Amino acid sequence: MKQIAVFCDFDGTITEKDNIINIMKHFAPKEWEKLKDDVLAQRISIREGVGKMFALLPSNLKEDIIEFAKEHGKIRDGFQPFVDFLKAEHISLYIVSGGIDFFVHPILEPFGPFEAIYCNASDFTSETIQILWPHTCDEQCTNDCGCCKPSIIRTLDGDQLFKVVIGDSITDLEAAKQADYVIARDLLLEKCQELGLPHSPFNTFYDCVETIKSLSGVRT
Ligand SMILES: [Mg+2]
Ligand SMILES: [Zn+2]
C-alpha cells in the first residue's frame, strides 16, 4: 500500500484569508489593485504580479508587515489537531505556498515543525522588497507560477506516494491534477467537480482529518 503524503496550501487554506491580499490592502499604494486584476485575468503571471506588488513596498516595512500578518493571519479551525494527527500517523505534511517566507514562517512557527515548507523568498537589501523564486517551474510547467506546486510534487514523487492535495484556489489546480486525491474548498472545489477529480470538500481541518482517515483506513 502506498504511503500517504499531504501537500497543503497556505493562503486561504491554512489561513482563512489570503495574506498577500491583506498585506497589500493595508500597506500598498493603489497601483497594487491593477496588478491583482491583471493576475486574476491572467494578463500577467502570478510570479510577475506578486513580484511587482511587493516592489511597491519599502523594505523598512518588514517588521511591521510580519506583525500585521501574525495578527491578521487567522488560522482555520482544527489545524493543530490536523498536524498532530498526521504526525501520529507518520504521514508527511508538506506546506506548498505561493506566499513569502518572511510572513509564512512566523505564522506557521507555533504549529510545526513540518516535513518542509515550500514558499517564495525575499530580499530586503534594496529600497523596496524584492521577491526571490527558489521553486520556479520545471520544464513540464509553462505557467510561470512563482512557487510551482506541480514541480515541487514532481521532485518528491516517485510512484511511491499516495498524494493528497489540500487547497482552495486556482493556484492549486495544477497540483490537484497530479494528486491521487484532493481536499478542496471554494474555487478549487468547483474545479474538482467540473473536471471529475477524486475529491472531498472541507471547511475546517477536522474535515481533512476525517477524509484522510477514510483514505488510510485508520479507525478511531
Ligand atoms: Mg490558497
Ligand atoms: Zn509552474
Side-chain angles (χ1 to χ4, degrees):
M1 204 162 79
K2 287 183 180 179
Q3 173 68 28
I4 296 178
V6 175
F7 299 87
C8 186
D9 173 48
F10 181 70
D11 284 275
T13 299
I14 295 175
T15 59
E16 289 189 352
K17 299 247 172 72
D18 187 294
N19 295 285
I20 293 181
I21 300 282
N22 274 354
I23 289 167
M24 291 300 150
K25 274 185 185 162
H26 190 80
F27 291 99
K30 270 246 168 285
E31 296 100 289
W32 83 274
E33 286 182 23
K34 182 176 184 318
L35 291 166
K36 178 200 65 178
D37 293 342
D38 285 349
V39 169
L40 292 177
Q42 294 178 301
R43 286 188 287 268
I44 60 175
S45 71
I46 296 174
R47 190 169 75 92
E48 182 181 354
V50 170
K52 284 184 171 167
M53 280 183 212
F54 277 93
L56 295 170
L57 303 178
S59 289
N60 64 15
L61 283 177
K62 181 181 179 183
E63 294 307 321
D64 291 344
I65 295 173
I66 292 172
E67 280 317 304
F68 175 85
K70 276 161 62 176
E71 194 178 326
H72 292 84
K74 187 171 184 316
I75 301 291
R76 187 173 301 279
D77 273 357
F79 184 60
Q80 184 73 72
F82 170 74
V83 171
D84 295 342
F85 163 77
L86 294 181
K87 202 166 286 173
E89 296 297 324
H90 307 289
I91 295 171
S92 296
L93 171 56
Y94 300 93
I95 312 294
V96 283
S97 168
I100 320 297
D101 59 356
F102 76 104
F103 66 83
V104 172
H105 286 273
I107 293 174
L108 283 176
E109 213 224 297
F111 305 95
F114 303 94
E115 193 71 35
I117 299 173
Y118 296 93
C119 62
N120 299 310
S122 48
D123 176 1
F124 296 87
T125 57
S126 306
E127 191 157 321
T128 63
I129 301 173
Q130 307 301 305
I131 303 303
L132 309 174
W133 313 96
H135 309 291
T136 47
C137 303
D138 64 17
E139 67 292 333
Q140 292 185 58
C141 183
T142 55
N143 241 344
D144 199 20
C145 300
C147 182
C148 184
K149 299 181 185 194
S151 299
I152 290 166
I153 293 177
R154 278 192 284 272
T155 67
L156 295 167
D157 183 6
D159 281 326
Q160 312 307 311
L161 299 173
F162 185 91
K163 299 177 288 293
V164 176
V165 165
I166 305 177
D168 71 302
S169 161
I170 204 77
T171 52
D172 303 301
L173 182 58
E174 294 307 312
K177 287 179 187 169
Q178 308 244 332
D180 296 290
Y181 201 86
V182 186
I183 307 176
R185 58 178 293 277
D186 206 38
L187 237 167
L188 186 64
L189 179 58
E190 287 172 29
K191 285 286 167 191
C192 287
Q193 288 161 346
E194 204 177 295
L195 298 172
L197 301 175
H199 72 280
S200 294
F202 79 103
N203 285 313
T204 72
F205 278 98
Y206 296 108
D207 303 330
C208 299
V209 169
E210 291 311 313
T211 297
I212 289 171
K213 276 183 187 172
S214 75
L215 292 172
S216 59
V218 175
R219 299 282 179 266
T220 49

